[in-house]
Amino acid sequence: MRLRARASNRANISFFIFVMFFAVFGVIFITELFLLERPTQPSRSRYEIDVQNWAGGRTERFASMEIEQASPAQTAQDGVWQPVTGTRFRFYVYSAYVERRTVAAVRIIASTKTRGPDAVFCRMWLPNNRTLTLKARVQAIRENWNLKYSAAYVLCLLRDTGVKPQETVGASIAVIASIAPNKPTTNLLLVMDTEPKQGSDAHPKSLHVCVKPFHFSYGRVEWMIEWIELNRMLGVSHFYMYNNTVSDQMGCLLSHYKRRGLITLLPWELPIVSKVKIRTEGMFAAFNDCLYRSMPTAGWLLVIDTDEVVMPRQKRKLTDLLSSLTDTYTLPSKRPAAFLFRNAFFYVPWKDDPESKAPLLTSRKTRRWVKPHALKNRSKYAVRPRQVVELGNHFVWEHAPGANSVGVPVEGALLHHYRLHCEFGGDQCLSVPSIVDRTAHRYTNELWERVKSKVKEIKCLNLHVDRLWVDSAV
């Protein structure tokens, strides 16, 4: 009897477990169906069916439909954030460039959801009045810190269209949500070329600089004059800058250099919350826009912050150093596409150098870490723009086929990082092993004359030479 009772209890328990399993499964199914966020891919629309047929080789119906598309009413723009209408998540586009190296496409700089972005397609109006609808591939730029939104590429693919990449230069292109193909277009970009034009001032030794967007009313005016003039002494001929917000004085200074053709200054009003939803003002979209924007004119592109200077140790100019490094590789096919420079902190709170001959930051702050950081850890780099595909903050994420990066020994150059605050907090940086490095002193005399001249020249700054650095924390 006891054995029968035990068997009966086991059967009841098994049945109860069986029922509970299906009950839990049912609850999960209903929750997924009705309560949770629906997947990013909508049900198949007529448009998607047409795209799939076209991608499979059946193009006649698709192409004839697209030829009849009217030209957009708005004017194509470059370097302005524009929204993609009808998407479930935020989706903005900024600029468009011809891509010839990795795939035949138009490459669009964008910002959107990092994972599971909305499905989109591209519509392009060519200069010869032909209209194309292109399949699009959305790729998050790798360095996104796992935040909800990321800088991204939208690749508008030209495969099977019969259109060559160079034929898209000057075209107008829009990104359109697949779930809202018939809504009015809210973005229109001008397709820019990435190849040097005949007769342009592009030179294989020219050096341009790219920095991340200015924000929080950036206003280190005195340091910015020193930083720009020092980089010019090092061989830099052009700067790419993105303005979210700067102080009035800084706006005056940047406008001065812009009028002289030394700065490309672009607006940067990305409506995604910085550091909460996206990494620091969408800085990786800016870096990669700078990469493609510089391709027609820059031989080298140096990616640094405005508190950093790549200081050659033996050569006087960075351009000479880059040429020397390149020439060490006898075969052109083996020459690196990027050179990485190791970082060393020069903490601004550390005491001034008693041998400083000018109030310049680079002259006063000569104490640095004994041991620089390892490569790819806070390092910065110079690249051949047309030989790389995707930039990160401290290294290149993707090279063009066959290209690579190489680290530069400290004996060749060092990244001087004039850091305002100690990342360890308080006075803990005082205990960091340090040495005095006066490499920057060889530029002091000429640099000081340049800075004083600019202060006198730019009247709207309202600065006085005898007060430089006195009223400023740095």
Side-chain angles (χ1 to χ4, degrees):
M1 292 295 291
R2 291 181 180 177
L3 292 176
R4 289 181 180 178
R6 288 178 182 175
S8 177
N9 288 338
R10 288 176 181 173
N12 291 336
I13 291 172
S14 298
F15 178 78
F16 178 77
I17 293 173
F18 179 83
V19 171
M20 288 300 296
F21 172 83
F22 278 96
V24 171
F25 179 84
V27 169
I28 293 173
F29 177 81
I30 292 171
T31 302
E32 287 285 333
L33 188 62
F34 294 106
L35 298 180
L36 296 182
E37 183 177 86
R38 293 179 183 273
T40 58
Q41 294 289 346
S43 59
R44 295 175 69 193
S45 67
R46 176 181 175 183
Y47 167 77
E48 288 175 300
I49 294 171
D50 285 338
V51 168
Q52 290 177 7
N53 290 339
W54 165 63
R58 296 185 290 277
T59 63
E60 292 182 3
R61 178 185 172 191
F62 186 86
S64 63
M65 178 183 69
E66 298 308 323
I67 289 174
E68 297 174 359
Q69 291 291 322
S71 299
Q74 67 263 50
T75 302
Q77 300 185 74
D78 169 56
V80 178
W81 283 110
Q82 302 178 59
V84 178
T85 190
T87 55
R88 295 178 57 252
F89 302 102
R90 293 178 182 271
F91 204 130
Y92 300 95
V93 294
Y94 188 77
S95 52
Y97 301 95
V98 179
E99 177 57 79
R100 298 173 172 87
R101 304 157 306 166
T102 57
V103 64
V106 172
R107 185 183 293 270
I108 292 176
I109 305 298
S111 289
T112 190
K113 194 167 185 287
T114 305
R115 293 179 178 80
D118 291 271
V120 295
F121 63 94
C122 304
R123 183 158 289 143
M124 182 167 60
W125 292 264
L126 294 166
N128 62 6
N129 294 324
R130 183 183 174 192
T131 303
L132 292 175
T133 298
L134 307 173
K135 188 176 181 180
R137 183 190 306 158
V138 181
Q139 296 178 337
I141 288 175
R142 293 172 177 86
E143 204 158 338
N144 51 59
W145 287 50
N146 292 319
L147 295 175
K148 182 175 182 179
Y149 289 94
S150 172
Y153 291 129
V154 178
L155 288 173
C156 305
L157 304 173
L158 297 173
R159 182 181 178 184
D160 298 327
T161 64
V163 175
K164 297 179 181 179
Q166 58 267 28
E167 296 173 347
T168 67
V169 176
S172 300
I173 195 165
V175 176
I176 301 170
S178 295
I179 60 174
N182 298 318
K183 282 195 173 184
T185 300
T186 53
N187 63 88
L188 195 66
L189 300 169
L190 180 66
V191 180
M192 310 289 285
D193 202 0
T194 50
E195 287 292 313
K197 297 178 182 178
Q198 289 185 348
S200 71
D201 59 355
H203 191 280
K205 293 185 179 180
S206 62
L207 176 62
H208 295 184
V209 163
C210 175
V211 297
K212 65 185 179 183
F214 296 126
H215 55 285
F216 295 153
S217 297
Y218 183 79
R220 294 181 64 192
V221 175
E222 296 170 0
W223 166 243
M224 181 58 69
I225 299 172
E226 179 179 348
W227 183 82
I228 289 177
E229 292 302 322
L230 177 54
N231 274 291
R232 292 180 67 189
M233 291 172 62
L234 292 170
V236 174
S237 58
H238 197 78
F239 301 84
Y240 300 88
M241 297 180 174
Y242 301 83
N243 179 20
N244 178 265
T245 53
V246 295
S247 69
D248 290 342
Q249 266 192 319
M250 183 62 72
C252 158
L253 177 64
L254 298 181
S255 294
H256 167 84
Y257 283 111
K258 181 180 178 181
R259 287 193 299 270
R260 282 153 180 75
L262 291 169
I263 291 178
T264 295
L265 184 62
L266 296 159
W268 195 261
E269 298 178 2
L270 177 61
I272 301 176
V273 182
S274 177
K275 297 184 180 179
V276 177
K277 298 292 186 180
I278 195 169
R279 175 67 175 163
T280 313
E281 307 300 326
M283 59 187 283
F284 298 108
F287 285 160
N288 286 280
D289 174 79
C290 183
L291 168 66
Y292 288 88
R293 191 173 296 276
S294 69
M295 284 183 183
T297 55
W300 289 97
L301 181 67
L302 178 65
V303 181
I304 54 176
D305 289 343
T306 52
D307 60 353
E308 299 170 336
V309 178
V310 176
M311 198 69 71
R313 315 294 285 179
Q314 299 172 7
K315 304 289 184 180
R316 185 165 179 83
K317 289 190 173 184
L318 268 175
T319 45
D320 294 336
L321 172 64
L322 292 170
S323 295
S324 176
L325 291 170
T326 302
D327 290 343
T328 60
Y329 297 84
T330 55
L331 296 176
S333 60
K334 298 295 184 181
R335 289 172 181 168
F339 289 109
L340 279 64
F341 304 99
R342 294 175 67 181
N343 173 85
F345 285 137
F346 288 67
Y347 288 119
V348 173
W350 280 346
K351 292 182 179 180
D352 288 355
D353 188 335
E355 296 186 17
S356 173
K357 298 179 181 180
L360 299 169
L361 191 69
T362 51
S363 179
R364 293 186 292 117
K365 303 302 177 181
T366 56
R367 183 166 292 279
R368 69 164 173 88
W369 277 26
V370 170
K371 186 177 180 181
H373 288 83
L375 289 173
K376 297 189 177 183
N377 179 12
R378 295 189 178 275
S379 57
K380 293 298 171 69
Y381 52 85
V383 300
R384 289 288 194 191
R386 287 180 290 279
Q387 295 181 33
V388 294
V389 177
E390 182 181 329
L391 299 183
N393 195 6
H394 303 296
F395 55 88
V396 176
W397 277 103
E398 183 179 348
H399 300 82
N404 67 323
S405 296
V406 170
V408 177
V410 173
E411 295 76 19
L414 187 65
L415 180 69
H416 289 206
H417 193 159
Y418 296 95
R419 195 166 181 85
L420 285 174
H421 306 291
C422 174
E423 59 274 285
F424 306 122
D427 296 328
Q428 294 187 47
C429 289
L430 296 175
S431 61
V432 176
S434 63
I435 59 172
V436 172
D437 182 341
R438 296 192 176 98
T439 304
H441 276 192
R442 58 181 170 160
Y443 301 97
T444 297
N445 292 339
E446 181 183 349
L447 180 57
W448 180 227
E449 294 302 317
R450 281 173 170 255
V451 171
K452 290 189 293 184
S453 176
K454 281 298 174 185
V455 169
K456 293 177 181 178
E457 179 185 356
I458 310 173
K459 303 300 183 184
C460 60
L461 290 177
N462 294 319
L463 294 175
H464 300 281
V465 171
D466 58 351
R467 296 294 297 173
L468 287 178
W469 303 107
V470 174
D471 299 322
S472 174
V474 286

